[in-house]
Amino acid sequence: MDAKPQQNPEPPYSPLPPQGATSVPPPPTPIRTTLRRAAFGAMAGAVLVAGAVIAVPDDDMAAPPAPGPVARAEAAAAAGSPASLSDLTALIGDRQKWVETHPADAPSWAVLGSAYVEWGRRSSDAAYYSRAEQALQRSLAAQPGERGNTEAWVGLGALANARNDFLAAKKWGETVRSRQPKGWTAYPVLIDAYNGLGDYAAAAKATEKYGTLRKGVPALARTSEMYRNQGWREDALATAREAADHAGTAAEKAVALHRLGELAAERGEPAEALAEYDAALRTDRSHLVSLAGRARALAALGRTDEALADYRTVTTKLPRPEYVLELGELFESLDLDGDARTQYTRLRGLLSQARTAGVDESLTEARLEADHGDPEAAVELMRTAWEAQRRSSAVADTLAWSLHRAGRSEEAMQYADQAVGTGVRNASYAYHLGVIESSLGQDGPARGHLEEALRTNPDFSPLAAPLAREALDELGDPAEGGPAQMQPPAPEPSAEPEPSPESGAGASPEASEKPSPDGGKGSPEPSASVSPSPRTRDGATAAP
């Protein structure tokens, strides 16, 4: 590497004081062995003849000592679980010292590179991604992946996911899987890559396989995420609760509680979400993503002063672009336009830094441009992402909204439909689709999707939720009785008397053998009362 790695990276949120970095765990408590020779009256001869030497353990003898921070971090990585920030700090310092004197140790370079990826992700410091890439390349130079160094390939896959380069992550993950079909380490990389590309069927298969290869809390967390993406809220909640109940470390517990908070927030229960985020922070006070969730929940509860305080803290210590955008929009919802513009300017600087570091933040940048900048620029960003195979529900929704904001609502419809059709229950997706439908004069489905958005999460956004209510009020109530085609028309009164039951025996064979529209084996001609489109004539989506 060109520059000596930082020996002790500063934790972003006051973690425990860094402990001494060493790869050797502390020695066990010494056992004092004493030899007692006894001669008690008549027993003395027998003892001496037997030559008995009795070893009596000291009372200080106890259970094996607890592992040190480096050992804990290594154990977490081996289990696919998160390590605490203090343990991660110790691991990085330990491996930095080791590779300085053992530059040909490929596994240690791979561990160091993967630890850099995790630190960069959890601190939002993209500079660590460059250090990670250098360390992983050093590992491969010492031992190529073809000669068994798949740990470095897994690290490169995790690095690609951290940079939102999901195609590259997919390549690395599938390469490792093909060489180690019974290993589990490739599957977290593959699951993130497939989800980022919008290939939810492949992500579900990878999640199921991961669960068979690696039991435990990490597999439960991935399964909960899969259920959430499929719209199975009850299953996602039950599995996330099971993961929280079985978590073995504070870091693992905080991640599970954060997932419960996210699920509660998505279903429009901010008070419950706040309780879960608070529990996560009590478990691990350095879990800043839960602090961001707490700010979001407080804003939904109308406790804006507290929300602003939390947002200021989290955007200082964990300056992720999406959090800065949320803070700017909260300011704007409070008519603090100057503060909002300050955050949007700051966000543009962060996006520029991300591009320089090779991190693709085009999704957040497009959201910024669509609502607070140049919608045409947002369209170009999302077009590029779509052509690069990034076709997740988030990309589809952002592309649809960007097209609508740029005045191309008809083109936006297909992407908005796709975002909602993926199964995930996201109030923003339903809101965007409803607004697009309303702009095209499809009042029926627009009303339905706006109601769905507010029913899913009444406070999904401090800016957009009030606009959803205004749009719904402008549409007004539907006409009484609903669409005309929902009920069959009354039969016309016949001038001729109906035939008696006996007359059926004399009916012509042609009449008796004529198949019904839905009973014949052939394809009937479409009826005038049945639309071939999945939407009814007033635009309402047909029920499955």
Side-chain angles (χ1 to χ4, degrees):
M1 294 185 293
D2 297 334
K4 182 178 178 181
Q6 182 178 345
Q7 293 295 325
N8 290 302
E10 284 296 328
Y13 183 64
S14 303
L16 298 175
Q19 303 183 41
T22 173
S23 60
V24 181
T29 304
I31 302 174
R32 186 173 68 248
T33 304
T34 59
L35 301 177
R36 293 184 179 179
R37 303 175 184 269
F40 298 102
M43 295 291 295
V47 172
L48 293 174
V49 170
V53 178
I54 305 173
V56 181
D58 191 355
D59 290 340
D60 292 340
M61 183 177 182
V70 174
R72 288 196 300 267
E74 290 174 333
S81 299
S84 70
L85 286 178
S86 58
D87 290 351
L88 189 60
T89 301
L91 178 62
I92 289 174
D94 173 75
R95 292 312 159 100
Q96 284 174 337
K97 292 178 181 178
W98 177 260
V99 296
E100 285 178 357
T101 55
H102 301 79
D105 187 346
S108 289
W109 279 113
V111 169
L112 179 59
S114 298
Y116 279 149
V117 173
E118 182 67 6
W119 186 270
R121 187 183 65 82
R122 291 170 66 176
S123 66
S124 194
D125 186 350
Y128 278 90
Y129 297 152
S130 299
R131 299 183 186 184
E133 186 171 8
Q134 293 171 4
L136 294 167
Q137 293 298 343
R138 287 289 296 269
S139 177
L140 290 171
Q143 180 186 355
E146 293 82 0
R147 290 170 49 193
N149 190 8
T150 55
E151 292 84 358
W153 281 350
V154 171
L156 287 172
L159 174 61
N161 276 325
R163 286 172 162 168
N164 296 323
D165 186 356
F166 302 115
L167 276 178
K170 175 185 173 183
K171 181 196 75 172
W172 291 118
E174 290 179 346
T175 301
V176 175
R177 182 178 60 183
S178 66
R179 290 180 173 271
Q180 296 181 335
K182 294 184 179 180
W184 63 267
T185 56
Y187 284 92
V189 171
L190 286 173
I191 293 167
D192 289 340
Y194 290 144
N195 281 328
L197 295 171
D199 192 349
Y200 297 114
K205 291 180 181 178
T207 302
E208 291 170 359
K209 184 65 175 178
Y210 178 59
T212 62
L213 295 173
R214 191 69 180 176
K215 306 291 185 182
V217 174
L220 290 171
R222 294 287 184 174
T223 303
S224 175
E225 179 188 23
M226 177 188 71
Y227 289 149
R228 179 259 178 195
N229 290 339
Q230 294 172 338
W232 301 349
R233 283 184 167 178
E234 293 77 10
D235 299 275
L237 176 60
T239 310
R241 179 62 65 188
E242 185 178 359
D245 292 341
H246 288 85
T249 66
E252 200 172 55
K253 183 87 167 181
V255 171
L257 291 169
H258 174 77
R259 166 61 59 184
L260 289 170
E262 295 289 277
L263 292 173
E266 285 185 351
R267 63 177 181 264
E269 298 176 1
E272 182 175 345
L274 180 61
E276 300 291 359
Y277 293 134
D278 282 341
L281 289 167
R282 286 194 301 271
T283 303
D284 181 359
R285 59 197 178 99
S286 66
H287 201 250
L288 287 168
V289 291
S290 289
L291 186 62
R294 186 178 190 275
R296 204 176 300 120
L298 288 168
L301 291 169
R303 295 161 60 177
T304 53
D305 288 343
E306 297 170 82
L308 289 172
D310 281 352
Y311 266 127
R312 289 189 180 100
T313 299
V314 76
T315 55
T316 299
K317 299 181 179 297
L318 185 65
R320 289 185 178 176
E322 61 266 31
Y323 298 158
V324 178
L325 178 59
E326 289 175 14
L327 176 55
E329 291 186 339
L330 179 57
F331 277 130
E332 189 171 343
S333 71
L334 299 172
D335 294 327
L336 300 173
D337 295 338
D339 293 318
R341 285 193 297 271
T342 299
Q343 295 303 318
Y344 299 149
T345 301
R346 179 189 178 196
L347 175 55
R348 294 185 189 280
L350 291 174
L351 294 171
S352 177
Q353 294 174 14
R355 281 193 297 272
T356 302
V359 181
D360 186 349
E361 291 286 359
S362 58
L363 189 63
T364 303
E365 186 174 0
R367 289 170 174 166
L368 171 67
E369 295 293 350
D371 284 325
H372 314 288
D374 182 1
E376 288 291 349
V379 171
E380 290 303 315
L381 287 167
M382 289 297 92
R383 287 262 190 231
T384 301
W386 194 265
E387 292 168 1
Q389 306 298 315
R390 288 182 62 185
R391 299 181 179 180
S392 65
S393 58
V395 172
D397 169 71
T398 306
L399 177 54
W401 187 243
S402 301
L403 286 165
H404 166 73
R405 296 282 292 175
R408 290 183 266 170
S409 297
E410 291 186 4
E411 191 178 355
M413 273 294 302
Q414 59 176 318
Y415 300 106
D417 269 327
Q418 181 168 330
V420 172
T422 56
V424 62
R425 301 184 188 180
N426 187 298
S428 291
Y429 298 173
Y431 162 68
H432 289 158
L433 178 55
V435 172
I436 292 168
E437 288 167 328
S438 178
S439 69
L440 296 174
Q442 300 179 8
D443 292 352
R447 185 182 295 106
H449 284 117
L450 290 171
E451 289 174 345
E452 178 186 346
L454 295 172
R455 184 170 58 250
T456 300
N457 186 354
D459 301 294
F460 64 91
S461 164
L463 269 183
L467 295 176
R469 295 186 184 91
E470 292 177 11
L472 192 58
D473 291 340
E474 290 176 2
L475 288 171
D477 296 328
E480 294 184 4
Q485 70 270 26
M486 296 299 290
Q487 298 292 334
E492 295 280 341
S494 176
E496 300 180 2
E498 294 187 4
S500 62
E502 292 79 3
S503 65
S508 65
E510 293 80 358
S512 62
E513 295 176 4
K514 185 176 180 181
S516 64
D518 59 349
K521 296 182 180 180
S523 299
E525 292 294 326
S527 169
S529 62
V530 179
S531 170
S533 169
R535 293 176 178 269
T536 54
R537 282 179 294 186
D538 73 331
T541 304

